[in-house]
Amino acid sequence: MTQYLVAIHHPDDYDPSVMEDEAMHSDIDRLNDEMKAAGIRIFVGGMHPASAATSLCPQPNGDVLVMDGPYLKTKEHVGGFWVLECADKDEALVWGRKAAAACRAPVEVRQFH
């Protein structure tokens, strides 16, 4: 079995109190239950907004620069994720499709080394 990251992407201005409703929460809860029942869910987590991140960047002189905010300046960020253990990428993509539908957001599926 191989582990896969299934990452949910949100726009930077994503506000769960506005964008999420009870139906969406129910769909995500059902998906989590289905993943647990299938024995493939290793870990799941939601993320605070990217604006709350702190980035640390090594400098040529050996120092580490600490900056408020995300390292990547993009219009979307990872809003939550699952770590799944699947037989292959095809199985991970099946779960990724379910995650995209439940979260009503784009999803990225990536294999761990």
Side-chain angles (χ1 to χ4, degrees):
M1 298 288 271
T2 304
Q3 290 186 349
Y4 291 86
L5 173 72
V6 177
I8 308 301
H9 293 270
H10 290 149
D12 279 342
D13 62 352
Y14 188 84
D15 182 352
S17 66
V18 174
M19 312 277 270
E20 298 176 7
D21 59 13
E22 189 55 41
M24 182 177 175
H25 286 239
S26 293
D27 289 347
I28 294 169
D29 288 344
R30 274 193 296 282
L31 178 58
N32 278 311
D33 291 344
E34 187 179 354
M35 288 175 172
K36 280 192 270 186
I40 56 110
R41 195 180 91 174
I42 304 299
F43 183 81
V44 62
M47 307 294 290
H48 284 271
S51 60
T54 302
S55 299
L56 296 94
C57 299
Q59 302 298 297
N61 66 1
D63 289 342
V64 175
L65 179 62
V66 179
M67 302 176 294
D68 290 334
Y71 174 70
L72 296 176
K73 304 299 180 197
T74 65
K75 295 182 186 228
E76 292 187 341
H77 63 274
V78 175
F81 64 93
W82 286 271
V83 175
L84 306 178
E85 195 162 61
C86 300
D88 54 33
K89 186 174 182 179
D90 289 337
E91 181 184 6
L93 292 173
V94 167
W95 292 106
R97 284 183 187 93
K98 291 179 181 190
C103 295
R104 294 138 175 93
V107 168
E108 179 180 3
V109 175
R110 293 176 65 188
Q111 182 177 341
F112 284 94
H113 288 284

